[in-house]
Amino acid sequence: MSQVEGRTRFFAGKALRYGITLVIILTINFAIPRAMPGDPMINLLGDEAVRIDSQMLDELRAQYGLDRPVQDQYIEYVLGAGRLDFGYSIHKNLKVTDLIYDRLFWTLVLIFPSIAIGGLLALVLGALAGFRHGSKVDRLLTGTSILMYTCPSFLFAMIVVTIFSFHLGWFPLGNISSGKTQGFAYLLDIGWHLFLPVAILATFEAAYIFLVVRNSITQIMGEYFIFVAKAKGLPSRVIELRHVMRNVLPQFISIMALNFGFTVSGALIIEIVFSLNGMGTLIYDAVMSRDYPVLQGAFVFLTIFILAANFLADVLYGIVDPRIGDSTNAGKRI
């Protein structure tokens, strides 16, 4: 089997797995609200249901399709998810897709810079600590990383906003912008408002990935092929860049994708702390008001982004790792 055929089978297998995962998540997302005890419509309306007569409840059930068999509801739900159509919000009376599009943009503005900065920071500092294993720099960076990794993100965010926003007044207490600027000044205003949230997310992103990069470099430096490279008289810079870092990159890409879901969940919490109008506050408001169409739509959108990021990482992993598709190493891969 050629390497091209091997890579094709690898990517096809990954696509099939992610497709099955998406179907399972969609099914769970459909089943959870309907698994709640009692009448689904009463659960949706909460305390307001006692003020509505039975005829109105029947009309609402028919409007949201809750009077139909479960299998018909599931088929309609899957078809709607395929069109990214999740109906209307119960409490805001707006299309769920429009609500999500309006909030998703700001969540992505918060997430992607955090991932890029955190990943780059983790790679640089992890390499610095790994190549100087056992030094004071290594112990300082590792200790700081472990401390940040074990600290709850919401607690750290509240401490940061209390110090730098409330007491010192260097940064705004919340919101995306002050709403009083336009043009380039508006972009600078958004950057000023997002500086602390991005810095917090990037710090937690870097804390975990730093440990992975540092430990990977430490392990690779003890491998036999590194000993051979040193015995050949290769410069340390060549060994570090061509031999060590090249073997770290596939693991780095994988852990970046794996950590994407945790970054998204952390961003949702950070949005609530800083009162940012993103997916976090949208989901929080939907939970408080029991707006299940909004919850289902938001979870599906976030699931698609997380699965897409992981699939992209698998594609990059297959390109970076020369063993993918190599029939001589097919039996050695995990």
Side-chain angles (χ1 to χ4, degrees), residues 252-273:
F252 174 74
I253 293 173
S254 296
I255 202 63
M256 283 283 290
L258 183 63
N259 209 43
F260 183 81
F262 297 104
T263 303
V264 171
S265 61
L268 302 183
I269 297 175
I270 297 300
E271 286 178 2
I272 296 174
V273 174

Side-chain angles (χ1 to χ4, degrees), residues 310-330:
N310 280 270
F311 180 71
L312 177 62
D314 281 331
V315 172
L316 294 176
Y317 186 93
I319 295 174
V320 172
D321 193 343
R323 296 172 298 175
I324 302 297
D326 188 355
S327 59
T328 60
N329 291 319

Side-chain angles (χ1 to χ4, degrees), residues 5-263:
E5 293 175 347
R7 289 182 184 274
T8 302
R9 292 185 60 180
F10 173 79
F11 294 145
K14 290 293 183 180
L16 178 61
R17 292 179 185 178
Y18 282 113
I20 295 174
T21 302
L22 180 60
V23 172
I24 294 175
I25 293 175
L26 287 175
T27 303
I28 295 174
N29 195 28
F30 170 83
I32 287 178
R34 290 161 177 80
M36 295 180 62
D39 190 323
M41 203 67 237
I42 295 178
N43 289 332
L44 289 174
L45 297 176
D47 296 336
E48 299 177 7
V50 297
R51 303 193 214 35
I52 302 177
D53 60 286
S54 58
Q55 183 178 357
M56 182 65 71
L57 286 175
D58 293 337
E59 292 178 359
L60 288 173
R61 291 190 189 96
Q63 180 181 349
Y64 288 96
L66 296 175
D67 59 335
R68 303 168 59 186
V70 176
Q71 59 271 21
D72 294 343
Q73 295 182 38
Y74 179 75
I75 294 174
E76 183 179 358
Y77 162 77
V78 172
L79 294 177
R83 301 189 303 268
L84 297 179
D85 181 9
F86 301 95
Y88 284 81
S89 167
I90 294 175
H91 292 271
K92 297 185 179 181
N93 199 27
L94 296 172
K95 287 195 67 173
V96 173
T97 306
D98 293 340
L99 286 172
I100 292 175
Y101 284 158
D102 184 50
R103 301 294 189 92
L104 184 61
F105 172 78
W106 294 113
T107 297
L108 296 180
V109 169
L110 174 62
I111 288 176
F112 283 115
S114 304
I115 292 176
I117 296 173
L120 181 61
L121 191 64
L123 189 62
V124 172
L125 296 181
L128 180 64
F131 290 130
R132 291 162 177 77
H133 176 64
S135 65
K136 293 182 179 180
V137 174
D138 177 30
R139 290 195 293 268
L140 176 62
L141 292 176
T142 303
T144 304
S145 177
I146 293 175
L147 177 63
M148 293 304 305
Y149 180 66
T150 55
C151 178
S153 59
F154 71 91
L155 177 61
F156 182 72
M158 293 176 66
I159 294 174
V160 169
V161 76
T162 300
I163 296 175
F164 293 99
S165 297
F166 184 74
H167 290 292
L168 298 178
W170 293 354
F171 298 95
L173 286 169
N175 296 323
I176 294 292
S177 67
S178 58
K180 301 178 181 179
T181 55
Q182 294 180 351
F184 184 68
Y186 175 68
L187 296 178
L188 293 178
D189 187 47
I190 291 177
W192 183 45
H193 281 75
L194 291 181
F195 182 86
L196 285 183
V198 169
I200 293 171
L201 272 181
T203 300
F204 279 91
E205 171 82 5
Y208 176 64
I209 300 179
F210 164 84
L211 296 174
V212 176
V213 173
R214 181 254 186 198
N215 293 337
S216 297
I217 291 177
T218 302
Q219 180 181 3
I220 293 173
M221 288 297 292
E223 295 290 339
Y224 181 72
F225 72 91
I226 298 298
F227 172 77
V228 173
K230 291 180 179 179
K232 290 181 179 180
L234 294 178
S236 299
R237 185 62 57 86
V238 174
I239 295 175
E240 293 174 357
L241 295 179
R242 292 187 180 180
H243 296 277
V244 179
M245 295 306 297
R246 187 177 180 182
N247 284 274
V248 170
L249 281 180
Q251 301 179 37
F252 174 74
I253 293 173
S254 296
I255 202 63
M256 283 283 290
L258 183 63
N259 209 43
F260 183 81
F262 297 104
T263 303

